[in-house]
Structures are given as C-alpha cells and as structure tokens.
Amino acid sequence: MVAVPAPPTPPTNRRLAAMLRRIRRHLEGSELPVVTLIAETERDPFKVLVSTILSARTKDEATAGATRRLFEAASTPEEIGALPLEELERLIFPAGFYRTKAKNLKLAMTVLRERFGGEVPWTVEELVELPGVGRKTANLVVTEGFRRPGICVDTHVHRITNLWGYVDTKTPLETEMALRAKLPRSQWIGLNKTLVSFGQKLCLPVSPWCSRCPVEEWCPRLGVGRSR
C-alpha cells in the first residue's frame, strides 16, 4: 500500500522567510505595485502618502494616471489644498470613490499644514489622524515612504497569510495585530510588496495558479477550492 504524504503544515518563522525569498526570486522583474514604484523612484513620503490614498479600491493603472495628473498640477500640501474641489475631482478621476477622496485630500492637506507643519509624520498613530488614512494606508506610508518597520495588511496579505495557516484571523486588523506579535521585524517591510504581487499574479483569490506556485510544496492551501 502506497503511503499518502501528509499535507504541509503551517509555516514556522524560518519556513515563512524561505517562502518569501523564493516568491521574490520567482517574481523578480515583474512590474511593481504602483505605490512601491512611486516610492522607489521619487523617494518622497508626501507623494507616497497621496498615491496611497488614491490607490484604495482602485486599479494600479488608474492610480498611476491620477497621481501623475495631480502632481503635474500641484505637488505640495499648500498647492493641493488650494485646488478647487471640482478641479481636484477632475484630476484624480477615475480613481475609485474619487469625490470622497478629493474631500479627504483637501482636509488632509489642512491637517498636514496645521498639525504637522507640512511634513508627513512617520508613525502609524500620527498618520491615522489624517482624513482618509486608515491603518493600511498608514503602514504603507511608514514602510514605503520612510523604510521603517510596519505591517500593511490589505486583502492579499490577509488572505494569503491565512491560507498558509500562519495566522488564523477574521479581519485585516486582527491579521495586522497577529503578524506584529508573531512575524520577525526583519520581515515586516517587504511583506506587503511581496504578497501583493504574488496575490495579483499567482495566488489569485479565485482559482489560484497552484501548478505554477514556487512554494506549492510548502503550502497547506487552507480554504482553497478549485485551483489550476
């Protein structure tokens, strides 16, 4: 009788680090998420903040276009804050919820000037004081804009770390707190960038490409139904 191999178990910290390294090598040369691209080319926390606000529930192509048009017209808190609301809406359309984002951007520019002297703060606790900035956005600004440790949990990070069994959580906030307690700080900065690309290209929410996955042998595939 042929023995059936046991399914992979949830990864230890050491195994998780190896999985992330293997995924990065596999995706090397792939197009970067737009916020990461802006962070690496501009090296400006303010531009990272604005592009991150615009990126929520918006495809990368639309975020890139909205960010480019906005910064061509205005590139400082004072300039963006001075734009008429209708003009700001026009510049960032078709970013998702562009009317709400335009209002939040104008309010955020006022808070930046009055509360922080026009400088982008580098802590999550201060960043979430800005209108339109939640913990996901704040952590992404911390990691991409300032290269400081933070854990940005979007839908990909939440889904994949649960699929691997590394955490067992119901919400992105629970996932962030569980990862902060468990994941070594050396892995914090690159986690979102790696898993966003991985989740967009291979580990899809529906019918993931398990046959092409560089870490398939280590993946418990918790909750995965149909795959390719």
Side-chain angles (χ1 to χ4, degrees), residues 53-70 86-102:
I53 292 173
L54 294 179
S55 71
R57 298 186 183 182
T58 303
K59 292 184 177 180
D60 270 5
E61 297 83 358
T63 300
T67 302
R68 175 183 52 77
R69 288 189 300 274
L70 176 57
E86 296 77 9
E87 175 69 3
L88 187 50
E89 290 175 352
R90 184 187 67 79
L91 289 167
I92 68 174
F93 179 83
F97 302 94
Y98 68 96
R99 289 193 174 93
T100 299
K101 288 177 181 177

Side-chain angles (χ1 to χ4, degrees), residues 35-131:
V35 173
T36 300
L37 187 60
I38 289 170
E40 294 189 356
T41 56
E42 300 288 346
R43 300 190 181 279
D44 183 343
F46 177 68
K47 290 189 175 181
V48 172
L49 170 65
V50 173
S51 64
T52 304
I53 292 173
L54 294 179
S55 71
R57 298 186 183 182
T58 303
K59 292 184 177 180
D60 270 5
E61 297 83 358
T63 300
T67 302
R68 175 183 52 77
R69 288 189 300 274
L70 176 57
F71 286 139
E72 286 175 352
S75 58
T76 67
E78 294 75 17
E79 291 174 349
I80 293 176
L83 288 172
L85 183 60
E86 296 77 9
E87 175 69 3
L88 187 50
E89 290 175 352
R90 184 187 67 79
L91 289 167
I92 68 174
F93 179 83
F97 302 94
Y98 68 96
R99 289 193 174 93
T100 299
K101 288 177 181 177
K103 292 176 183 177
N104 283 335
L105 274 174
K106 284 185 70 68
L107 290 171
M109 298 305 104
T110 299
V111 175
L112 271 182
R113 296 195 308 273
E114 296 180 354
R115 169 82 169 81
F116 300 107
E119 298 294 326
V120 177
W122 58 266
T123 68
V124 170
E125 292 72 23
E126 290 175 313
L127 283 162
V128 296
E129 295 182 29
L130 301 174

Side-chain angles (χ1 to χ4, degrees), residues 12-210:
T12 61
N13 284 339
R14 184 174 181 180
R15 173 58 56 80
L16 182 74
M19 293 170 75
L20 294 172
R21 285 195 300 270
R22 188 178 287 188
I23 290 169
R24 290 180 187 121
R25 285 196 300 268
H26 186 82
L27 295 174
E28 200 169 63
S30 299
E31 187 174 351
L32 294 173
V34 66
V35 173
T36 300
L37 187 60
I38 289 170
E40 294 189 356
T41 56
E42 300 288 346
R43 300 190 181 279
D44 183 343
F46 177 68
K47 290 189 175 181
V48 172
L49 170 65
V50 173
S51 64
T52 304
I53 292 173
L54 294 179
S55 71
R57 298 186 183 182
T58 303
K59 292 184 177 180
D60 270 5
E61 297 83 358
T63 300
T67 302
R68 175 183 52 77
R69 288 189 300 274
L70 176 57
F71 286 139
E72 286 175 352
S75 58
T76 67
E78 294 75 17
E79 291 174 349
I80 293 176
L83 288 172
L85 183 60
E86 296 77 9
E87 175 69 3
L88 187 50
E89 290 175 352
R90 184 187 67 79
L91 289 167
I92 68 174
F93 179 83
F97 302 94
Y98 68 96
R99 289 193 174 93
T100 299
K101 288 177 181 177
K103 292 176 183 177
N104 283 335
L105 274 174
K106 284 185 70 68
L107 290 171
M109 298 305 104
T110 299
V111 175
L112 271 182
R113 296 195 308 273
E114 296 180 354
R115 169 82 169 81
F116 300 107
E119 298 294 326
V120 177
W122 58 266
T123 68
V124 170
E125 292 72 23
E126 290 175 313
L127 283 162
V128 296
E129 295 182 29
L130 301 174
V133 175
R135 290 193 66 88
K136 182 183 80 169
T137 296
N139 274 288
L140 196 58
V141 173
V142 168
T143 57
E144 296 287 11
F146 293 98
R147 303 303 296 169
R148 291 176 177 270
I151 297 181
C152 175
V153 177
D154 67 352
T155 181
H156 298 291
V157 174
H158 173 62
R159 176 175 56 83
I160 294 171
T161 53
N162 273 275
L163 181 152
W164 287 345
Y166 187 72
V167 298
D168 182 10
T169 54
K170 301 299 182 185
T171 67
L173 179 58
E174 288 181 7
T175 299
E176 181 193 337
M177 296 304 132
L179 289 172
R180 283 180 176 272
K182 185 175 182 179
L183 186 69
R185 286 174 69 88
S186 60
Q187 299 292 335
W188 287 17
I189 291 179
L191 183 71
N192 181 268
K193 176 169 62 177
T194 300
L195 293 189
V196 166
S197 294
F198 184 53
Q200 289 175 341
K201 295 175 173 63
L202 288 175
C203 195
L204 307 176
V206 178
S207 191
W209 286 101
C210 295

